[in-house]
Amino acid sequence: MTNKKTLTMDKIVSLCKRRGFVFPGSEIYGGMANSWDYGPYGTELKNNIAKTWWKTFVQKRDDMIGLDSAIITNPKVWVASGHVAGFNDPLVDCKKCKIRHRGDKLLEGKIGVEETTKIKLEEIGAKMNELKIPCPDCGAVDWTDARKFNLLFETQIGVLADAKNIAYLRGETAQGIFINFKNILNTMRPKIPFGIAQVGKAFRNEITPGNFIFRTREFEQMEIEYFIEPPKKEKDWRGPFENWQNEIKRFFKEDLGLSDENMRWRRHDDNERSFYSKDTYDVEYNFPSLGWGELHGFAYRTDYDLSQHIKHSGADLTYVDEKGNKYVPHCIEPSFGLTRTLLAVLAEVYMEETIKDTNGKEEVRTVMKFKPELAPIKIAVFPLVKNKPELVAKARETYESLKPFYMCEFDDNGNIGKRYRRQDEIGTPYCITVDYDTLEKGDVTVRDRDTMKQDRVKIEELKSYFADKGLTIC
């Protein structure tokens, strides 16, 4: 079994390209820096993670509502939210090769996140020179002072490219929730406390994207804004805040299968925490080759966002309770990165196991041990050989009978051993083989991905067999 300390990002990237999880973007044109396309299995995996998240935090709860807001909004939204003025990263230039980098990220690699947050923007360049942090591109240690670099993507609306027509691709999905708060109140009539959830793409003009799909300019978020009554005491917000913490921990561990040893909650100190936040955490995962990186942000944002939009729009975004009390609700924000979560799941389930083949010779099996709910393909169906029409026909018939209930795949390429190895790398929990005994007895071989144990099961009993195994109908 793979030692997680020896698992590298290169192995994950190679498997993702080889097996159709993630492809380099615009590859036939030479690619585009840190642009990635999700292949058939990556798309299924990403959708399954999002569906699991939605089921856990929306479908199963009575206090949650869904939303899907626009990517391009009135630019005043981003002025009100503070993104136009304050959504900045510290940019430094290498004086030798002229390549630009995020100074804070290079410092974090040298002295850690906590120490980096104590350094002021104007001191970053000098600190990098003092610590002799080399340029990742040329190796020189000669940095400029840091400058602010705004992360919002600008675009133009209409036929004229002028200042009046500037708009922005959303830098986060959260603002779409806040600007629809009044619409939700008027149409759904929810009672405080309640939350609004959204899954969607966001865009950030990162200076130095990298580390595969960990930091990209185009990514997907799963965000919740949970509204509560303005607290009179700390315990009034601390209670729901801690309840959400427990729910988030359970989701990562039980629903996604991420291990405790690879997860940590890092609390922001006064230097790092936003001025309007009362408490903020980064939930971090220990990624291969990268180390600890943010997977999820969690904050108590008070009434800052709604108050800002009230101030800038003039709209009434207050809530009136059953007693007639009128107030601006406060907000707890669990913000999940969908594409980063996908990368964490890939890292968690990647295994290399030494097994013996039919001749007793040792070989290494690469297997992705996804939780069945997340696996892109639940069941693969094979004929034992592809040159026997009666076996192929029976395998097709079996495949068609299961396809309405599970995400299935039919595979007759290569020998049976190669098909097993391919499905192991895809992470398929069960493989069905139709052989000569099937034609006589009506049963098939079902092979378990994790144990490689094989059972003989009657075709008409397959659905109940998989139900007993806990495989959920799609």
Side-chain angles (χ1 to χ4, degrees), residues 126-301:
K127 193 67 175 179
M128 292 173 66
N129 288 323
E130 176 190 331
L131 296 172
K132 301 188 183 304
I133 296 176
C135 171
D137 291 276
C138 71
V141 181
D142 195 3
W143 299 102
T144 64
D145 291 336
R147 293 167 290 157
K148 290 182 178 180
F149 177 80
N150 193 276
L151 299 179
L152 284 178
F153 266 110
E154 283 191 7
T155 187
Q156 297 287 333
I157 302 296
V159 295
L160 297 177
D162 58 32
K164 294 181 180 179
N165 295 317
I166 288 177
Y168 303 98
L169 302 184
R170 65 185 180 194
E172 63 181 18
T173 63
Q175 297 307 317
I177 294 176
F178 295 122
I179 64 175
N180 277 287
F181 182 75
K182 185 176 181 179
N183 290 329
I184 294 294
L185 289 184
N186 291 340
T187 57
M188 306 305 293
R189 302 190 180 279
K191 293 181 180 180
I192 293 277
F194 74 93
I196 304 174
Q198 179 169 210
V199 178
K201 288 199 172 185
F203 306 83
R204 295 180 185 177
N205 193 16
E206 295 278 1
I207 303 167
T208 52
N211 292 310
F212 192 32
I213 58 174
F214 177 79
R215 178 172 288 108
T216 56
R217 295 186 174 98
E218 174 185 348
F219 55 96
E220 290 183 67
Q221 293 181 301
M222 306 179 292
E223 290 200 293
I224 293 168
E225 305 302 331
Y226 193 76
F227 299 99
I228 61 173
E229 185 178 343
K232 295 180 175 62
K233 299 179 180 179
E234 180 175 341
K235 67 180 181 63
D236 296 335
W237 67 264
R238 183 67 69 181
F241 188 84
E242 292 178 351
N243 288 341
W244 272 106
Q245 279 185 298
N246 292 332
E247 286 297 306
I248 292 163
K249 289 175 182 178
R250 192 207 62 78
F251 170 75
F252 281 126
K253 184 175 183 177
E254 296 181 18
D255 292 353
L256 301 187
L258 302 185
S259 60
D260 289 339
E261 65 183 22
N262 284 325
M263 300 285 293
R264 73 179 184 187
W265 286 66
R266 186 181 63 80
R267 194 175 196 175
H268 287 204
D269 61 20
D270 292 342
N271 294 304
E272 187 178 8
R273 189 176 61 250
S274 299
F275 70 90
Y276 51 78
S277 174
K278 293 292 186 182
D279 205 357
T280 300
Y281 286 85
D282 284 347
V283 182
E284 298 180 334
Y285 185 83
N286 192 13
F287 290 95
S289 306
L290 172 62
W292 294 102
E294 182 185 353
L295 184 63
H296 165 84
F298 182 60
Y300 168 43
R301 298 173 64 91

Side-chain angles (χ1 to χ4, degrees), residues 51 53-62 64:
K51 283 190 290 187
W53 181 87
W54 193 269
K55 185 174 183 179
T56 296
F57 294 114
V58 181
Q59 182 179 338
K60 289 184 176 181
R61 298 177 64 116
D62 292 329
M64 292 295 301

Side-chain angles (χ1 to χ4, degrees), residues 362-373:
E362 287 191 347
E363 62 179 14
V364 175
R365 176 179 85 128
T366 299
V367 54
M368 304 296 283
K369 293 191 175 183
F370 296 113
K371 291 181 70 69
E373 297 84 0

Side-chain angles (χ1 to χ4, degrees), residues 100-117:
R100 291 173 174 171
H101 296 275
R102 275 186 64 177
D104 59 332
K105 291 302 174 184
L106 294 178
L107 278 168
E108 285 175 12
K110 182 75 172 181
I111 61 176
V113 176
E114 289 82 0
E115 291 301 313
T116 300
T117 59

Side-chain angles (χ1 to χ4, degrees), residues 7 15 72 91 94 145 183 185 189 213 215 220-221 258 273 290 299 310 326 348 386 394 428 437 473:
L7 175 60
L15 181 138
I72 300 175
L91 173 71
C94 173
D145 291 336
N183 290 329
L185 289 184
R189 302 190 180 279
I213 58 174
R215 178 172 288 108
E220 290 183 67
Q221 293 181 301
L258 302 185
R273 189 176 61 250
L290 172 62
I310 291 170
K326 187 176 182 180
E348 187 74 37
K386 66 183 296 185
K394 195 64 177 177
T428 305
D437 285 342
I473 291 176

